Amino acid sequence: MTLVAKSRIARLLASLILSVLLFSCSDPNQEQRQLKKISGATMGTFYNISLVGFDGDEQLLKQAVDEELARINGLMSTYDSNSEISQINKSASGQWLSISEEMVFVMSYALKVFELSGGQYDISVGPLVNLWGFGPSRGDKAPSDEEINQALARIGSDQLELDEANLKLRKKKDLYLDLSSLAKGYAVDVISSLLEKKFGVSNSLVDIGGEVKARGLNASGGPWRIGIETPSLTQNQSHTIVHLSNVSVATSGDYRNFYWDNGQRFSHIIDPKTGRPIKHQLASVTVIDESTMKADALATAFLAMGENKALAIANEKGIPVFMISHDGESLRVSQSNYFEKYLKVGESK
């Protein structure tokens, strides 16, 4: 499971399913003057940035964005053999490695979500994802019990030691780490901060492969409107609209990345404890947080946990979560106690 595979295949975590909806101004010409957009490619997917009230050099801004995204990809892409995460994966177990402050920051949160989820969110699950055919090489056949057990022997974020104070990491056993479930979210946070600090843009929307951060207000002076897609293989429409300002949103779903083998449906979301795909009816999870990185990781974790466990933790921890589950031929919606305000105009943070 890699940064590029996650978004190139557009199935691995299926969190690339948020569509952006902008309020229209009463004067279309006014909106055109206020709203500017730039886009490009990164991490095997695309980014789209909407800027309100920016009168500077768009090419200079885009160049800065592209350079920063290339730098982050150089830290966290497993497709880059020289990246920092690739060097970590190549390192021998038991060896302390000096790592960057950014890597410590991202790894630290990944380990927190590992604990929060009871081990069902695990950045070392890559060998199992690949074994079940959801990695770079697409498969359509379930592995044997022996193959699963062999892969399970290489799994376990509890086998990572992180020395945050001294910026060091050690693997207690041979692990293959993949940050694709939160690296795009981290990149969104970095770019959003760059726009404000370097270019003075206080109203913007940054979207990298479906992970979105809304800062300030849109061109009509209201919260940004984001559509949560209906879980469907045939439809491409918004199920629910959220209204956001100065928060982020990420969605993870399992309805676009699966296969059938001998009459059984196998999801790309693998339970690191059993080594097998999840079997519950949860189709998609949307999380809102001030940090896109956190929303990104939590959406993946909650999808792996299932509706009941995820909802209980979200309510306990005060996390805004919106879930869509299969219920026979129809869909069922559930949400935490903290999500409702984002469904109403003018009540976002």
Side-chain angles (χ1 to χ4, degrees):
M1 185 169 57
T2 65
L3 281 173
V4 177
K6 177 185 175 185
S7 31
R8 177 181 294 165
I9 302 174
R11 298 185 299 257
L12 192 52
L13 290 174
S15 61
L16 316 181
I17 53 175
L18 293 176
S19 59
V20 176
L21 305 171
L22 305 178
F23 279 125
S24 59
C25 294
S26 56
D27 179 359
N29 293 325
Q30 181 184 12
E31 179 178 351
Q32 187 175 8
R33 288 196 303 268
Q34 290 181 324
L35 182 65
K36 295 182 179 179
K37 297 183 180 182
I38 64 171
S39 60
T42 187
M43 297 180 177
T45 186
F46 296 95
Y47 71 81
N48 294 282
I49 299 176
S50 299
L51 309 165
V52 176
F54 175 67
D55 296 322
D57 188 328
E58 292 180 51
Q59 289 302 315
L60 184 63
L61 184 146
K62 186 178 187 307
Q63 179 181 347
V65 167
D66 287 338
E67 289 176 353
E68 191 68 352
L69 289 172
R71 186 189 67 80
I72 295 171
N73 203 58
L75 292 174
M76 302 182 186
S77 171
T78 53
Y79 265 53
D80 181 350
S81 60
N82 295 317
S83 70
E84 185 171 11
I85 191 64
S86 291
Q87 296 308 309
I88 291 172
N89 284 333
K90 293 174 185 176
S91 67
S93 57
Q95 173 186 349
W96 280 105
L97 294 177
S98 294
I99 60 177
S100 67
E101 187 174 353
E102 285 178 281
M103 185 62 69
V104 168
F105 178 71
V106 173
M107 286 279 190
S108 175
Y109 190 70
L111 293 177
K112 288 178 182 177
V113 180
F114 172 77
E115 294 293 334
L116 179 71
S117 68
Q120 287 183 284
Y121 171 89
D122 194 330
I123 58 173
S124 72
V125 76
L128 280 168
V129 173
N130 294 337
L131 178 64
W132 280 91
F134 295 107
S137 299
R138 179 69 174 175
D140 58 3
K141 185 174 178 59
S144 66
D145 289 347
E146 181 180 357
E147 290 173 320
I148 293 171
N149 290 332
Q150 289 175 352
L152 278 170
R154 298 183 57 202
I155 308 300
S157 286
D158 56 344
Q159 298 300 303
L160 282 174
E161 288 186 84
L162 190 62
D163 183 348
E164 296 186 43
N166 296 301
L167 304 182
K168 290 186 176 182
L169 175 77
R170 179 168 67 175
K171 301 183 297 183
K172 294 180 183 179
K173 68 179 182 180
D174 182 33
L175 296 173
Y176 177 83
L177 306 178
D178 191 307
L179 302 174
S180 58
S181 59
L182 71 172
K184 285 207 288 48
Y186 174 72
V188 169
D189 289 333
V190 171
I191 296 304
S192 182
S193 179
L194 172 74
L195 295 178
E196 183 173 47
K197 293 179 178 178
K198 186 171 182 178
F199 295 94
V201 180
S202 56
N203 301 292
S204 65
L205 195 75
V206 180
D207 173 358
I208 300 180
E211 321 303 353
V212 178
K213 189 174 191 71
R215 189 183 290 272
L217 302 174
N218 66 12
S220 62
W224 297 91
R225 302 175 67 222
I226 311 297
I228 301 171
E229 191 178 61
T230 299
S232 171
L233 289 173
T234 59
Q235 300 181 45
N236 184 20
Q237 62 184 28
S238 294
H239 179 282
T240 301
I241 306 299
V242 291
H243 306 83
L244 308 178
S245 179
N246 299 323
V247 289
S248 303
V249 61
T251 295
S252 185
D254 81 334
Y255 53 92
R256 291 183 186 272
N257 192 12
F258 62 89
Y259 63 80
W260 292 88
D261 182 30
N262 290 327
Q264 293 189 62
R265 181 183 184 276
F266 294 103
S267 165
H268 75 287
I269 302 295
I270 310 298
D271 187 336
K273 292 184 174 182
T274 66
R276 290 168 168 78
I278 59 173
K279 292 185 178 181
H280 54 64
Q281 299 302 306
L282 190 53
S284 76
V285 177
T286 296
V287 175
I288 294 175
D289 194 276
E290 293 183 358
S291 162
T292 324
M293 178 191 73
K294 293 181 179 180
D296 195 4
L298 286 171
T300 303
F302 287 153
L303 183 64
M305 282 188 270
E307 181 181 1
N308 293 336
K309 185 177 179 181
L311 195 59
I313 291 178
N315 282 324
E316 177 186 349
K317 301 295 183 181
I319 302 170
V321 174
F322 182 86
M323 294 179 284
I324 304 174
S325 301
H326 295 291
D327 188 4
E329 297 297 320
S330 60
L331 296 172
R332 183 183 70 257
V333 169
S334 58
Q335 64 191 52
S336 69
N337 299 331
Y338 303 90
F339 197 86
E340 180 69 25
K341 65 180 179 179
Y342 296 104
L343 300 175
K344 299 178 181 179
V345 178
E347 295 190 14
S348 306
K349 290 183 180 179

